[in-house]
Amino acid sequence: MIASPWLLTLPVILPLAFGVLTLLFPSDWLARTGRHGAMLCAAAVVPCTRWVWQAGPLHQSPGGWTAPLGIDLYLDGMACLFLIFTAVMGLGISFYAAAYYPPSPDGTRTRNDLFWPLWFVTWGGIQSLFLSQDLFNIYVTLELISVSGVGLILIAGTPGAVRAALQYQMQALIAGLVYLLGVGLVYNAVGTLDLQLMSDQLQPGLMKNTGMALMTAGLLIKAALFPLHFWLPKAHADATAPVSAVLSGLVVTVAFVMLTRIWFAGLHQLAPFLLPKLLGILGSAGIVWGGVLALRQHRLKRVLAYSTVSQVGYLFLVFALTFHDAPGQGLVWTGAVYLTISHGLVKGAAFMAAGYLQKAEGTDQLAALKGCARRHPVAVMVLAVASINLMGLPPSTGFIGKWMMLKASFHTQQWGLAVVMLGGGLLSAAYLFRVFEQLLQPSGPPSGPSRGGEAVTPLTRSQSIWMLTPAMLLALATLLPVLYITLPDALLRIGAPLPFSDFIRPGGTP
Amino acid sequence: MPSSALIYTLAGIWIAVIGLRGVLAEEHVFRKIVASNIFGSGVFLVLVALARRAPDGPPDPVPHGMILTGIVVAVSATALMLALLGHLHDTDPDDREDSP
Amino acid sequence: MTTGLIFDIVLAFSLVVLAIITLRQRTPGESVVQLMIFGLLLALSWLRVDAPDLALTEAAIGSGVTGALLLAALHRTGFGTPFPSAVSPWIRYPVTIGCALLGAVLSLVVMYTWDQPAGLTDPAYAHLEESGTQNPVTAVILNYRGYDTLLEIGVLLVAALSVYTLSGPASGTPVKPPGPIFRFYMRVMTPVFWLVVPYMVWVGGRAPGGAFQAGALLSGLGALTLLGPTPWPLRLKRRVVRWGLSLGFSLFLVTAAWMWQYGNLLAYPTEQAATWILLIEIACTLSIGISLTVMFAGCAGWLHEDPERAV
Amino acid sequence: MIVFDLLSALFICMGVFFFFASAVGLLRFPDTLCRMHALAKADNLALGCVILGAVFQQTDPLIIGKLLLIWVVTLLSSATGGFLLAQRIRRKHLAQQEAG
Amino acid sequence: MSSGSFFSWAALGILCTLLLAFIRVCRGPSAEDRLLGIQSFGTVGTAVVILLYLVEGSSGYLDVALVMAMLAAVTVITFTRILPGAGDVDPGEAPAPQSEPPAS
């Protein structure tokens, strides 16, 4: 079987092309173009999935030059899983955004219309990143994603959003440069930018290690790990809802996925004890810190944003859990991937629901949302499903992920991490119950279209449907793997760079 | 005897470090922007000088290409931050401190 | 010790000192001035490590365009307003010590591993024949690693769009109509720019130069034009700006996708490589020039004629 | 050829001297306009000397043309820039006189 | 003394005069003085590049000099054209001349 030349590049080129198109089209075409474009972009992932499923991993080199000189794209099970995840999120966000941003009354372009080009470019960048196998290409795509993220935040147009965008851009620039310095050192040590070729060069080497450490530091800033998270909550909470969904649902996962890739391309040989411990401690601190701050917020979107800080902390525990070469290692990785994806899906859904409430009620102040459940039952239900995931309660993927990691922490006898994980679950329960306490009040404040000083235009029926359906579907998607849990797991093991476990197989449980 | 590439590599490292210190330790956004520029220049200088490490023969063109890309990315990021800063100044008179 | 080495030591030392001085200035204006000088000296240093391509870019961007951008932003935020007092020593000293440690570690690492060069010099030169250009740097950015450049032009587009997203009341003092001397300067220099920009693009195929440098020059011309004859506030037609911004990127995108028929994205057939690379260089030049010009206007606050209708 | 080499060396030495003179002027003259005077004359003359010195080393007309273009462009830029700066300084003086 | 070495010495000499001009930039006192320093830096930098060209002999260096010369004016022009002058205390009150007086 010969792969078509566009197989791996189409998922990148198509969103970029739609980015240009939506920049040029007149305003009243945009919602439709956005929806159709999203469907096409998502469809571009289907052939990739088919290929991986039937023929295994695939290398392609855009530019026609193979790895040491050119850039290689590499599609394996993990990349494919994340492509599917991106496509699903992309579909949901696009349909939601098409309903969220109202068409301008006289057909002229407004600032909202810039959402589409920026979002499609972000989409293309994320797909490119998941496929990339080249250290410098990763730098460029990371910058592409951050800069378009800044633009997306700016769509809100408030001074708070501008300030958040400024901070976001500053951290992105610095993180990118730190990462780039690391890439330069690694390149000078091993003479290649390709991840796979780099991991073949087994001898650690001083310069390579230093470069790896710098790259890790850069990615940690991008991933918003605990002491470097300062920019995240403002940016995520002050943006408009579709943008929050993009940033919290998709963009946050990106740096983590890249870190795992680099980890297995040689990072794990470097400082085998110190670095994982450090990441574990920072992750734990993030879980607690994010949770505590989420408890103190008075706005729904702020609560969700701080919850992202907390959940990102969980992901980094994975590095601490695997440094013992214990038999349960693979379990941790599978768990982390499940957790990443489920967090992305539910955080996207939760921000969509929060945006719906904000639009319907004119504010996302918790106090003003009293009794919302009566008026907007579906939105609150989405939030409920999301909460089940965030807390890590049984029928959800979040539970599966956290359970796997918990189990690994027992295996490696890291009781401290186990306590933090359980405590983090309790914390998230606390801050989410605080939200629901308000939402589920039997009676709210006197309802009226304008509250909090903002004039509210009532949502039309079709607008509500188009906004809530994607949110609901994304939230429900996290419950699916309970039925088909072997499917993603089987996909993950194709061309696995990570030692994914075969925990499902009978007798395979360590 | 040290080669000129080594001299510039070391200079680049210290320029980068000075810039990084500026970004982290300063509060004023404009100074941070200037510092991030210096940080970037230092990083680029390190990479270019490292590309010249081999004592004879031409320098390695791959880092040169990387840095060309890096310069353009850095200048666009700088421009974006400056535009944001100016905008904040105009629209939000309460926020003249410029410290986030 | 040769003269060249003395030159290098003096230059490297002044660069480091200049970096420190730049960050110790009292007002934004002073630090911008220092930064421009720093950029100029940096361009000199890049000549000394055999990177004329980068020196060209740095001469254009580092001392020219960046300086103009910073000054344009300063006319809104205040050129001479002193920086507020320093941050608390509890932050300053630990950060300084940490950064110094980092610098020491990096220096030691570099010196320790100095004699083990590794890289792609040989393959890059070995395939130069097939790449359609004689300049190895152009071969890297437009052929071997053209995919990076595609995404990077995307970064530029997105950055310009982000600047364009801002809206608000027009700000800053109006630019006075140009006087006779400045008008004369523009009349002479505009053709010179239009001569040198295509020359840069063309020369990139055989010697240092190419799209990035040409684009930076073009943006210099753009900035001069905005400062000169165009009345203030800048009344660029919104649609024109949008098309202009997307022009380079879409040209690049279409060309890249066209190559699918030859095997892969951006996989130029060897015998036509020179033509395609030239096309893409033109796309990049336009994209960089127009994006940076729009960003210059954004920094100066000239994109804000109509709140809410920024685009 | 030796004549050309000598001429070239002479002109470059003159260039260095004038650069030095202009730098001293820039440093020692009492006010901005005087300094500008030192700069506008000596600096451009010095660059002209250096370029002339370089021209004597060349045979390729394209390169000679490029060298001369550099000089013309510098003269033009420095004249315009100097004029704009001087005008600004003059306005400042006038404003000060009006105020005081 | 070989010609290359002579040019290097000349470049080094000019670099030293650059450092002299730099003192002026640091001292100021007015913004115009600093800008003047920048303009001088542009010219002197161009000269250094030309001398380095004579040392190395690669024609790309001349393009660097050309670009430097072309963009040296951009910053000064930006400065004078859009930054409110220290003399125009309040542009609203002081009737700023609407066009430049003819050069004399």
Side-chain angles (χ1 to χ4, degrees):
Chain A
M1 204 151 72
I2 294 170
S4 307
W6 44 263
L7 197 63
L8 295 193
T9 34
L10 192 65
V12 182
I13 296 301
L14 207 56
L16 293 182
F18 270 101
V20 176
L21 286 182
T22 46
L23 180 60
L24 299 178
F25 281 174
S27 184
D28 40 357
W29 296 9
L30 288 184
R32 210 176 329 142
T33 317
R35 280 197 294 253
H36 292 168
M39 285 193 279
L40 274 177
C41 295
V45 173
V46 174
C48 296
T49 316
R50 242 187 77 210
W51 179 276
V52 167
W53 203 253
Q54 292 173 351
L58 174 67
H59 274 283
Q60 274 190 348
S61 318
W65 300 92
T66 47
L69 199 52
I71 298 169
D72 262 10
L73 299 183
Y74 179 59
L75 178 74
D76 59 4
M78 182 166 128
C80 186
L81 191 62
F82 277 103
L83 281 188
I84 296 171
F85 159 68
T86 315
V88 170
M89 286 291 288
L91 270 178
I93 290 169
S94 299
F95 275 85
Y96 179 80
Y100 183 90
Y101 295 115
S104 68
D106 49 353
T108 49
R109 289 180 70 97
T110 64
R111 197 168 42 212
N112 287 340
D113 294 342
L114 279 175
F115 170 81
W116 291 106
L118 290 166
W119 153 235
F120 275 118
V121 172
T122 315
W123 191 345
I126 291 173
Q127 307 254 42
S128 170
L129 194 65
F130 286 142
L131 290 168
S132 186
Q133 186 72 11
D134 183 278
L135 292 178
F136 186 69
N137 189 248
I138 291 174
Y139 165 76
V140 182
T141 41
L142 280 173
E143 291 299 310
L144 184 65
I145 294 166
S146 338
V147 175
S148 47
V150 171
L152 285 171
I153 296 170
L154 288 175
I155 287 172
T158 58
V162 177
R163 218 168 298 133
L166 185 56
Q167 223 175 55
Y168 185 84
Q169 177 59 56
M170 180 61 84
Q171 68 80 22
L173 179 63
I174 296 307
L177 286 172
V178 171
Y179 175 84
L180 183 61
L181 183 58
V183 171
L185 293 185
V186 169
Y187 173 78
N188 272 289
V190 300
T192 177
L193 289 165
D194 190 75
L195 271 173
Q196 222 146 38
L197 295 178
M198 186 178 96
S199 60
D200 294 345
Q201 301 219 349
L202 285 177
Q203 78 286 13
L206 192 55
M207 201 185 233
K208 183 183 173 191
N209 284 355
T210 319
M212 287 287 225
L214 286 171
M215 275 161 51
T216 313
L219 286 175
L220 288 182
I221 306 178
K222 292 242 178 197
L225 184 61
F226 165 61
L228 311 169
H229 71 281
F230 53 90
W231 52 273
L232 184 142
K234 275 189 207 166
H236 288 203
D238 282 356
T240 49
V243 175
S244 309
V246 174
L247 294 178
S248 239
L250 271 173
V251 174
V252 163
T253 59
V254 157
F256 172 73
V257 174
M258 280 308 114
L259 204 58
T260 57
R261 284 228 181 249
I262 290 169
W263 179 267
F264 280 95
L267 190 61
H268 60 298
Q269 304 156 350
L270 148 76
F273 183 76
L274 194 65
L275 188 67
K277 260 280 187 273
L278 184 72
L279 289 179
I281 290 170
L282 293 182
S284 317
I287 293 175
V288 175
W289 182 254
V292 169
L293 280 181
L295 260 178
R296 301 163 52 94
Q297 301 305 314
H298 300 291
R299 283 178 48 203
L300 178 54
K301 277 165 83 182
R302 278 274 165 124
V303 173
L304 294 175
Y306 274 103
S307 138
T308 302
V309 174
S310 168
Q311 299 287 325
V312 165
Y314 276 101
L315 301 183
F316 282 92
L317 295 188
V318 82
F319 296 102
L321 288 172
T322 50
F323 84 94
H324 299 282
D325 271 333
Q329 222 199 34
L331 203 63
V332 190
W333 286 108
T334 318
V337 170
Y338 273 53
L339 203 58
T340 314
I341 289 180
S342 75
H343 172 251
L345 290 171
V346 297
K347 208 34 92 57
F351 268 116
M352 288 178 187
Y356 174 82
L357 289 180
Q358 193 179 16
K359 260 209 148 160
E361 299 282 314
T363 174
D364 68 334
Q365 294 280 344
L366 283 179
L369 290 179
K370 246 178 216 167
C372 247
R374 234 159 243 257
R375 295 193 293 275
H376 312 288
V378 185
V380 176
M381 203 132 94
V382 173
L383 280 177
V385 176
S387 304
I388 292 174
N389 253 291
L390 292 177
M391 288 185 257
L393 292 183
S396 65
T397 325
F399 161 73
I400 300 173
K402 282 178 190 166
W403 173 75
M404 288 182 195
M405 288 173 69
L406 202 60
K407 206 165 166 190
S409 77
F410 291 150
H411 273 297
T412 54
Q413 300 182 337
Q414 303 197 49
W415 309 112
L417 292 184
V419 170
V420 169
M421 276 191 264
L422 290 173
L426 286 180
L427 258 177
S428 45
Y431 63 72
L432 290 167
F433 279 137
R434 219 178 119 248
V435 171
F436 278 99
E437 186 199 345
Q438 299 290 336
L439 297 183
L440 297 178
Q441 293 266 337
S443 66
S447 66
S450 88
R451 212 175 293 127
E454 267 182 81
V456 182
T457 44
L459 295 166
T460 61
R461 194 179 159 71
S462 77
Q463 215 179 351
S464 313
I465 291 174
W466 280 113
M467 279 165 79
L468 287 176
T469 318
M472 199 65 193
L473 288 177
L474 286 189
L476 289 179
T478 55
L479 302 181
L480 271 184
V482 181
L483 306 176
Y484 302 103
I485 193 155
T486 45
L487 221 64
D489 188 59
L491 199 56
L492 272 179
R493 265 187 269 119
I494 298 174
L498 316 183
F500 291 114
S501 77
D502 28 18
F503 71 105
I504 291 299
R505 246 180 245 165
T509 317
Chain B
M1 193 190 288
S3 67
S4 52
L6 179 59
I7 294 171
Y8 286 116
T9 312
L10 294 180
I13 287 173
W14 286 101
I15 291 167
V17 166
I18 291 162
L20 186 61
R21 185 233 169 239
V23 175
L24 297 179
E26 298 293 344
E27 232 170 273
H28 196 281
V29 176
F30 192 83
R31 209 176 234 181
K32 274 183 188 239
I33 294 175
V34 171
S36 67
N37 250 296
I38 289 179
F39 180 40
S41 304
V43 171
F44 300 149
L45 185 55
V46 173
L47 299 199
V48 184
L50 279 177
R52 192 73 202 85
R53 231 172 2 148
D56 41 348
D60 190 348
V62 175
H64 288 193
M66 283 161 52
I67 291 158
L68 270 180
T69 307
I71 290 178
V72 175
V73 169
V75 76
S76 48
T78 307
L80 178 52
M81 287 192 289
L82 287 171
L84 293 180
L85 184 62
H87 180 82
L88 262 186
H89 236 268
D90 290 347
T91 52
D92 198 11
D94 307 335
D95 189 56
R96 285 293 158 99
E97 282 305 303
D98 295 331
S99 51
Chain C
M1 195 178 265
T2 63
T3 332
L5 209 56
I6 299 175
F7 185 92
D8 292 333
I9 290 171
V10 171
L11 188 55
F13 187 72
S14 6
L15 276 171
V16 175
V17 172
L18 206 52
I20 296 174
I21 292 178
T22 308
L23 290 177
R24 293 192 64 87
Q25 298 297 315
R26 279 175 306 109
T27 67
E30 287 163 21
S31 59
V32 170
V33 170
Q34 305 287 3
L35 189 69
M36 281 186 263
I37 293 174
F38 177 79
L40 219 123
L41 288 188
L42 195 67
L44 290 185
S45 77
W46 286 2
L47 281 179
R48 293 291 305 161
V49 282
D50 288 342
D53 282 278
L54 296 172
L56 260 177
T57 316
E58 181 65 25
I61 288 184
S63 51
V65 178
T66 308
L69 288 170
L70 287 160
L71 285 174
L74 275 189
H75 102 282
R76 298 161 89 186
T77 61
F79 185 83
T81 332
F83 288 120
S85 54
V87 265
S88 79
W90 289 107
I91 301 176
R92 214 152 21 115
Y93 290 122
V95 167
T96 311
I97 293 169
C99 286
L101 278 178
L102 179 68
V105 169
L106 287 179
S107 310
L108 287 177
V109 167
V110 165
M111 285 196 281
Y112 187 73
T113 56
W114 188 255
D115 303 327
Q116 307 145 21
L120 294 169
T121 320
D122 295 338
Y125 276 89
H127 296 287
L128 208 52
E129 289 287 302
E130 309 152 50
S131 70
T133 166
Q134 292 148 31
N135 177 1
V137 179
T138 307
V140 168
I141 57 177
L142 292 180
N143 199 334
Y144 307 147
R145 304 180 62 85
Y147 184 59
D148 276 346
T149 310
L150 173 69
L151 294 175
E152 184 233 335
I153 295 297
V155 175
L156 262 175
L157 169 75
V158 169
L161 271 184
S162 307
V163 171
Y164 215 47
T165 319
L166 299 167
S167 68
S171 65
T173 41
V175 171
K176 304 167 199 89
I181 292 209
F182 185 49
R183 272 210 301 266
F184 174 74
Y185 173 79
M186 284 305 294
R187 215 166 34 238
V188 178
M189 283 307 281
T190 311
V192 174
F193 270 99
W194 281 120
L195 194 72
V196 177
V197 168
Y199 165 75
M200 269 307 157
V201 174
W202 170 82
V203 85
R206 57 220 80 228
F212 289 36
Q213 294 83 353
L217 267 182
L218 197 61
S219 66
L221 176 63
L224 283 176
T225 313
L226 292 186
L227 291 167
T230 321
W232 183 93
L234 177 68
R235 296 218 176 269
L236 287 173
K237 287 264 186 302
R238 295 186 204 126
R239 186 174 305 175
V240 174
V241 171
R242 272 193 287 131
W243 279 91
L245 281 179
S246 57
L247 185 66
F249 187 59
S250 38
L251 188 58
F252 201 152
L253 212 57
V254 169
T255 318
W258 185 253
M259 297 297 141
W260 269 328
Q261 57 172 320
Y262 298 116
N264 209 329
L265 192 80
L266 284 167
Y268 317 109
T270 313
E271 61 277 11
Q272 301 169 17
T275 322
W276 290 114
I277 285 182
L278 191 66
L279 190 66
I280 287 187
E281 289 217 66
I282 293 171
C284 291
T285 307
L286 288 175
S287 174
I288 293 173
I290 296 173
S291 302
L292 285 179
T293 308
V294 168
M295 285 192 252
F296 176 80
C299 284
W302 291 342
L303 285 174
H304 310 321
E305 33 175 332
D306 193 2
E308 283 309 307
R309 291 276 161 72
V311 180
Chain D
M1 278 299 111
I2 190 87
V3 182
F4 279 161
D5 274 353
L6 278 180
L7 270 179
S8 151
L10 181 71
F11 274 113
I12 287 176
C13 284
M14 274 169 68
V16 175
F17 169 76
F18 281 121
F19 271 128
F20 184 72
S22 99
V24 170
L26 189 66
L27 203 60
R28 300 289 304 165
F29 277 173
D31 70 46
T32 318
L33 285 173
C34 291
R35 289 176 205 133
M36 185 179 290
H37 175 82
L39 205 70
K41 292 214 165 106
D43 248 10
N44 292 315
L45 181 62
L47 183 67
C49 287
V50 170
I51 284 180
L52 216 55
V55 164
F56 282 123
Q57 298 279 324
Q58 307 299 328
T59 48
D60 185 355
L62 187 73
I63 294 207
I64 294 177
K66 216 191 271 178
L67 280 167
L68 293 180
L69 180 65
I70 292 172
W71 195 39
V72 171
V73 166
T74 312
L75 280 181
L76 205 62
S77 321
S78 123
T80 313
F83 169 76
L84 289 173
L85 273 178
Q87 184 191 34
R88 200 182 147 86
I89 294 165
R90 197 177 121 80
R91 270 198 209 131
K92 197 154 98 178
H93 283 236
L94 286 181
Q96 271 166 4
Q97 273 168 14
E98 258 176 51
Chain E
M1 191 160 71
S2 73
S3 66
S5 160
F6 169 73
F7 296 135
S8 311
W9 275 111
L12 185 60
I14 297 182
L15 191 69
C16 291
T17 72
L18 258 186
L19 299 183
L20 279 183
F22 177 68
I23 299 176
R24 169 54 63 204
V25 175
C26 285
R27 270 210 215 145
S30 71
E32 286 82 7
D33 282 306
R34 296 172 206 278
L35 264 289
L36 216 53
I38 289 211
Q39 201 167 22
S40 160
F41 260 74
T43 318
V44 182
T46 314
V48 175
V49 176
I50 289 175
L51 286 172
L52 289 179
Y53 160 71
L54 292 178
V55 178
E56 302 281 332
S58 134
S59 72
Y61 283 43
L62 274 190
D63 293 332
V64 179
L66 185 59
V67 167
M68 244 181 208
M70 284 169 74
L71 290 182
V74 172
T75 45
V76 175
I77 291 175
T78 311
F79 171 78
T80 53
R81 298 280 301 164
I82 72 174
L83 279 164
D88 318 340
V89 182
D90 186 348
E93 284 176 358
Q98 278 305 298
S99 67
E100 291 159 357
S104 52

